[in-house]
């Protein structure tokens, strides 16, 4: 197993989680939303653009992402939209 950098223009980021197939990385960008990026690189795709300072995420096999903001649990399609 070799680590490598997946470049992105969105920073700072935290709360990393993976898609079930391992092909995507989801992450939170402080004050700019929830994103995903291919492990092969390319531009990040914004899934939700509201200020996000949540606590991690979980990507299900049916392409739904669950994440928390404060003490509230939200869900969003892995293609984006409104939770």
């Amino acid at each position: 197993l070799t680590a490598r950098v997946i470049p992105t223009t969105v920073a700072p980021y935290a709360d990393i989680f993976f898609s079930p197939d391992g092909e995507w990385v989801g992450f939170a960008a402080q004050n700019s939303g929830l994103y995903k990026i291919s492990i092969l690189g390319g531009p990040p795709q914004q899934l939700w653009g509201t200020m996000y300072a949540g606590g991690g995420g979980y990507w299900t096999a049916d392409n739904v992402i669950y994440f928390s903001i404060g003490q509230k649990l939200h869900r969003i399609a892995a293609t984006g939209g409104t939770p």
Side-chain angles (χ1 to χ4, degrees), residues 28-80:
Q30 188 175 13
N31 298 327
S32 71
L34 189 65
Y35 293 82
K36 70 178 182 180
I37 190 168
S38 170
I39 62 166
L40 301 175
Q45 298 175 25
Q46 189 176 50
L47 302 175
W48 189 44
T50 300
M51 292 178 68
Y52 176 77
Y58 178 74
W59 196 323
T60 67
D62 59 344
N63 276 325
V64 174
I65 297 171
Y66 291 89
F67 61 98
S68 63
I69 298 176
Q71 294 184 2
K72 294 183 180 180
L73 184 63
H74 299 271
R75 68 183 218 162
I76 190 170
T79 54

Side-chain angles (χ1 to χ4, degrees), residues 17-36:
F17 55 95
F18 288 88
S19 64
D21 63 7
E23 297 294 318
W24 294 89
V25 177
F27 63 93
Q30 188 175 13
N31 298 327
S32 71
L34 189 65
Y35 293 82
K36 70 178 182 180

